[in-house]
Amino acid sequence: MSKKRIHQIAKELDVASADVLFHAQELGIEVKTASSGLTEEEEELVKLAIFPEEEVEESVVETVTEVETLENENVEVQESNIEIVEVVRNSSPSKIASILNMDSTQVVADLMGIGIMKGIDSPLEDTEIEKILEKYNLIPELIDAVVVQRENIIEIENFEDNIEDLQVRAPIITVMGHVDHGKTSLLDYIRNEKVAAGEAGGITQHVGAYKVEIGETGITFIDTPGHEAFTHMRARGANVTDIVVLVVAADDGVMPQTIEAINHSKAANVPIVVAINKCDLPDANPTKIKADLTKYGIVTEDLGGDVQAVEVSAIKGTGVDDLLETLALVAEIEELKANYKTEASGYIVESRMEVGRGNVATVIVKRGTLKQGDFLYAGQAFCRVKSMFDHTNSQKKTVEPGSPIDLIGWDESPIAGDQFVVVKNQKEAKAKAEENKTKLKDFDNSSFSVESRMSDMMKLLQEGELTTVNVILKADTNGTVEAIKDGITKLANDDVKIQVVHAAVGGVVLSDVDLASATNSLIIGFNVRPDSQARNMAQSKGIDIRTYNIIYELLDDISEAVLGQMTVKTEEAVIGMVEVKTTFRAPKVGVVAGSVVTEGRVELDAKARLLRAGVVIYEGTIVSLRRFKDNVNVVNEGLECGIGLSDYKDIKEGDTIEILGEVEV
């Protein structure tokens, strides 16, 4: 709910701000200064406390009469002196100052004089821009800012091939739809891999690409997450795909993310095949689904349209063969072809850091044949292809158009959605990457500040005195960083903006805490954890680090922060840190981590996370805890111990184990 500041109310009532503040406090309203805000209901109570109801009405009438008189007296003067200027919406006082050729502090002071409290770099509403320019006898012509996208900065290479050089290639399929409608289960059945069972919250957390050997060329599936936080990634997926499979649950119907998927597909001009899933359930109603889809321009063939629809059950496999045949037919109609006998190019689907492999990128080859040893660039990253692995982890020497592959040999993680292009040598690849880096150096590079630490931020937000929530975001993959960044910025409202001060791949480190301290930011981690230095520094500086592995919880917390309602709650937190020095095998337990407790304590049966290079690779419980030959329940800081983890054997020297317990945060 929007609030009006006390000094604005005082000005309207022609009374001192101190009087309004006094009466508000007398009524039990929590306000501190003249900049504190009141809701409409609170404002009415204060007015009644200051004036009888009749006097308020008389005061308002007199004020309106005075304004009308002044307007009538000055209309001719204004008409002769007023000038129209172009102003970008949401301009800050500093931008207004540059238009007026004035000092920024003077504009801020003038804004305060008309009851608008804004910082130099805070965005102004349309009405606020109009009011401040009116003071200088100017009328703003408000225009929308030109938003520069990454694809507008980095040019996409377009290639032309002779018709005689083209051959049929594998179609690239993107599976879209609402969360929990069965996208991952459908892909699981097709490729006979049980991916969904191991994913937190039932949501696909990472993007992957898979080749299924069906027909002459096979079919490539891009597996995109279904939660709305990944809208940005889905949009990019639609740009590289040939056909979209729209999964709709027969027992649920058309949902918001179903509509998003339809819009993305239409925007990319990509044909859609509808897979009506869960048709084995007793309350399934495929006919209703088809009818509902017509409202969004998706008319299936049996209703007189041109969209193919297949009824399937991802769990039982019913209709999946029909779906694959339909996809092959649509691909044949689309006449998807590529030149196999040229240098390769395509798109980055996902990038990540893997222990032992370094930066790894999943790519889709759209043109040419990619070979081991090739040099290529993608955005500001370049790569000498040291090795290539498909989704079964089989090493490949060459990759043909329409196929996905994991590339190893990058100097840094490329950005999901960027085009990759093979060039003649490393010098050219590096030069192209550096050229793009120069173009991008000012893109998305911003820093912001807020007025208090976390302890005061919620109160300031509730009182309407804080207009920006700053966030530092760290996650385990590049695509996830972009997607979450896109998702949390959409949670902003008219009163509170969200600024992502910094977003990157990797664990939370000391430099992140330093930046958070300088910019008064929240630190958000997704599938990553802070190292001990970062955590200790954050505690000493009062910096809040919140980590998640489920998208819903992350977005809910940020949404609460925007409303000023993020509260202290009990949750799992680190009560101990362990460094793995060596590993050995023990009867009944399996692999045991010979470790030193570097912080806190270790408790038997406590929950634990195994970290490698700051990334969470396992979560479970401590099933064995020994000091020398004795079984113990607790091992404290500074002591050595042997730790066995439940159902996990891939422990390595140098790993870190976090011990979890319930604490207030």
Side-chain angles (χ1 to χ4, degrees), residues 184-185 188 193-203:
T184 303
S185 297
D188 284 344
E193 292 179 17
K194 291 297 176 185
V195 174
E199 291 174 342
I203 303 172

Short mmCIF file of all heavy atoms in Angstrom, two decimals, residues 184-185 188 193-203:
data_model
loop_
_atom_site.label_atom_id
_atom_site.label_comp_id
_atom_site.label_asym_id
_atom_site.label_seq_id
_atom_site.Cartn_x
_atom_site.Cartn_y
_atom_site.Cartn_z
N THR A 184 9.70 -32.63 -17.35
CA THR A 184 10.89 -33.44 -17.08
C THR A 184 10.55 -34.93 -17.10
O THR A 184 11.32 -35.74 -17.61
CB THR A 184 11.51 -33.05 -15.73
OG1 THR A 184 11.82 -31.66 -15.77
CG2 THR A 184 12.78 -33.82 -15.46
N SER A 185 9.38 -35.30 -16.59
CA SER A 185 8.97 -36.70 -16.61
C SER A 185 8.83 -37.21 -18.04
O SER A 185 9.18 -38.35 -18.35
CB SER A 185 7.64 -36.87 -15.87
OG SER A 185 7.77 -36.53 -14.51
N ASP A 188 12.28 -37.70 -19.30
CA ASP A 188 12.83 -38.89 -18.63
C ASP A 188 12.41 -40.15 -19.36
O ASP A 188 13.22 -41.05 -19.60
CB ASP A 188 12.34 -38.97 -17.18
CG ASP A 188 13.06 -37.99 -16.27
OD1 ASP A 188 14.11 -37.48 -16.68
OD2 ASP A 188 12.56 -37.74 -15.17
N GLU A 193 16.12 -41.82 -18.58
CA GLU A 193 16.98 -41.38 -17.48
C GLU A 193 16.09 -40.75 -16.41
O GLU A 193 15.27 -39.91 -16.72
CB GLU A 193 18.00 -40.33 -17.94
CG GLU A 193 19.04 -40.89 -18.88
CD GLU A 193 20.01 -39.81 -19.31
OE1 GLU A 193 20.06 -38.76 -18.66
OE2 GLU A 193 20.70 -40.03 -20.31
N LYS A 194 16.26 -41.16 -15.20
CA LYS A 194 15.44 -40.63 -14.10
C LYS A 194 16.11 -39.40 -13.50
O LYS A 194 16.83 -39.48 -12.51
CB LYS A 194 15.23 -41.70 -13.03
CG LYS A 194 14.35 -42.83 -13.51
CD LYS A 194 12.96 -42.33 -13.83
CE LYS A 194 12.08 -43.41 -14.40
NZ LYS A 194 10.77 -42.87 -14.82
N VAL A 195 15.88 -38.27 -14.14
CA VAL A 195 16.48 -37.02 -13.68
C VAL A 195 15.60 -36.36 -12.62
O VAL A 195 16.07 -35.82 -11.63
CB VAL A 195 16.70 -36.05 -14.86
CG1 VAL A 195 17.20 -34.71 -14.37
CG2 VAL A 195 17.68 -36.66 -15.84
N ALA A 196 14.29 -36.44 -12.81
CA ALA A 196 13.37 -35.65 -11.96
C ALA A 196 13.46 -36.01 -10.49
O ALA A 196 13.33 -35.16 -9.63
CB ALA A 196 11.93 -35.85 -12.45
N ALA A 197 13.68 -37.29 -10.16
CA ALA A 197 13.64 -37.72 -8.76
C ALA A 197 14.68 -37.04 -7.90
O ALA A 197 14.49 -36.84 -6.71
CB ALA A 197 13.82 -39.23 -8.69
N GLY A 198 15.81 -36.65 -8.48
CA GLY A 198 16.89 -36.07 -7.68
C GLY A 198 16.89 -34.57 -7.61
O GLY A 198 17.83 -33.98 -7.12
N GLU A 199 15.84 -33.92 -8.12
CA GLU A 199 15.86 -32.47 -8.18
C GLU A 199 15.04 -31.84 -7.07
O GLU A 199 13.94 -32.29 -6.75
CB GLU A 199 15.33 -32.01 -9.55
CG GLU A 199 16.33 -32.36 -10.65
CD GLU A 199 15.79 -32.06 -12.03
OE1 GLU A 199 14.58 -31.91 -12.16
OE2 GLU A 199 16.59 -31.99 -12.96
N ALA A 200 15.59 -30.82 -6.46
CA ALA A 200 14.96 -30.17 -5.31
C ALA A 200 13.63 -29.56 -5.69
O ALA A 200 13.52 -28.88 -6.69
CB ALA A 200 15.89 -29.10 -4.74
N GLY A 201 12.62 -29.81 -4.86
CA GLY A 201 11.32 -29.17 -5.05
C GLY A 201 10.58 -29.59 -6.28
O GLY A 201 9.60 -28.99 -6.66
N GLY A 202 11.04 -30.65 -6.95
CA GLY A 202 10.35 -31.11 -8.16
C GLY A 202 10.53 -30.19 -9.34
O GLY A 202 9.84 -30.31 -10.33
N ILE A 203 11.45 -29.24 -9.25
CA ILE A 203 11.67 -28.30 -10.35
C ILE A 203 13.02 -28.60 -10.99
O ILE A 203 14.01 -28.82 -10.31
CB ILE A 203 11.69 -26.84 -9.85
CG1 ILE A 203 10.37 -26.54 -9.13
CG2 ILE A 203 11.91 -25.87 -10.97
CD1 ILE A 203 10.38 -25.20 -8.45
#
